[in-house]
Amino acid sequence: MTSFEDNLIQKGLITSDRLREAAQVARQSRTALVDVLLSKRIVDEGDLLRSFADTLGLEFVELRQIDIGPDVIGRLSAKFAAHYGVVPISF
């Protein structure tokens, strides 16, 4: 499995030099690299999330573009979904 940073470079979302600079800023400011990439608008949030999903071997789903039916929503309690940070999209 490649690292998240390698994935960003392989996808052409950032150069290794720019990533190294952002990592240095993150270390100096004691900020997460992801926060630096987003706040400085180095990488788009959607691209960043897609890269995370790809790195973890997960499918990326744009929730604004799918219709979640009431039968799906009713399969998990709100308490369970909130506790585990999940959103059911299909069964």
Side-chain angles (χ1 to χ4, degrees), residues 7-25:
N7 195 303
L8 290 173
I9 294 167
Q10 289 171 359
K11 289 182 176 297
L13 299 173
I14 193 170
T15 65
S16 57
D17 289 339
R18 188 75 168 124
L19 181 61
R20 200 173 7 264
E21 291 170 9
Q24 183 176 358
V25 169

Side-chain angles (χ1 to χ4, degrees), residues 2-63:
T2 63
S3 74
F4 169 67
E5 293 87 354
D6 291 338
N7 195 303
L8 290 173
I9 294 167
Q10 289 171 359
K11 289 182 176 297
L13 299 173
I14 193 170
T15 65
S16 57
D17 289 339
R18 188 75 168 124
L19 181 61
R20 200 173 7 264
E21 291 170 9
Q24 183 176 358
V25 169
R27 277 191 303 279
Q28 290 172 344
S29 63
R30 295 183 180 173
T31 306
L33 175 60
V34 170
D35 292 334
V36 172
L37 294 174
L38 292 174
S39 68
K40 303 250 183 229
R41 298 183 179 180
I42 297 169
V43 178
D44 174 74
E45 183 178 27
D47 291 335
L48 195 75
L49 293 172
R50 284 178 186 83
S51 186
F52 267 132
D54 188 50
T55 300
L56 296 171
L58 301 172
E59 177 184 359
F60 178 82
V61 176
E62 184 68 52
L63 293 177

